[in-house]
Amino acid sequence: QVQLVESGGGSVQAGGSLRLSCAASGYTRSFYYMAWFRQAPGKEREGVAATSGFGDITYYTDAVKGRFTVSQDNARNTLFLQMNSLKPEDTATYYCAAQGALSGGSWWSLAKYNYWGQGTQVTVYS
């Protein structure tokens, strides 16, 4: 059974940094893509960043470009999201997602991902 477990969320002042981790277990092959999504209260879940299984391709939503960095440690099956220069509008629950089956769709499409974590809360206060 595949499990994705996020950690690293918390409360931070605007301008600060957080590093999210997503530990994957129960999957014997490499995922095609792994991604971070976020959902703020009253808003739809949106893609934040994604990386290919080999880590050679990365994507970011415009709102976080230059501030967030997605990376992975394949040896430990862990996905990371380094978040710098955080803003109050970054406040949301952040979810890790993984694509285990080859399919089409854009990296920010929820339907592309087979597995989801439970989420970790990030709160940025001014």
Side-chain angles (χ1 to χ4, degrees):
Q1 182 178 0
V2 177
Q3 283 192 319
L4 303 178
V5 179
E6 302 97 335
S7 62
S11 294
V12 63
Q13 193 169 18
S17 299
L18 285 173
R19 189 189 195 208
L20 305 184
S21 299
C22 170
S25 62
Y27 198 73
T28 58
R29 296 182 286 115
S30 295
F31 295 112
Y32 289 100
Y33 273 87
M34 293 191 75
W36 289 98
F37 285 75
R38 66 185 180 186
Q39 187 167 19
K43 294 188 177 182
E44 294 186 351
R45 193 171 297 189
E46 63 172 355
V48 175
T51 180
S52 62
F54 292 108
D56 55 336
I57 302 173
T58 57
Y59 299 100
Y60 298 91
T61 190
D62 287 346
V64 308
K65 284 180 180 177
R67 301 188 297 122
F68 291 10
T69 303
V70 62
S71 62
Q72 59 186 346
D73 181 345
N74 287 333
R76 296 184 176 184
N77 293 326
T78 304
L79 180 72
F80 302 100
L81 185 68
Q82 178 67 43
M83 305 186 295
N84 299 328
S85 301
L86 282 161
K87 304 176 180 180
E89 51 263 44
D90 295 318
T91 295
T93 301
Y94 283 70
Y95 297 90
C96 174
Q99 180 192 12
L102 188 62
S103 65
S106 302
W107 71 267
W108 62 83
S109 172
L110 276 70
K112 186 178 182 70
Y113 301 92
N114 311 95
Y115 307 106
W116 292 84
Q118 293 301 306
T120 185
Q121 178 67 36
V122 171
T123 302
V124 184
Y125 57 91
S126 56

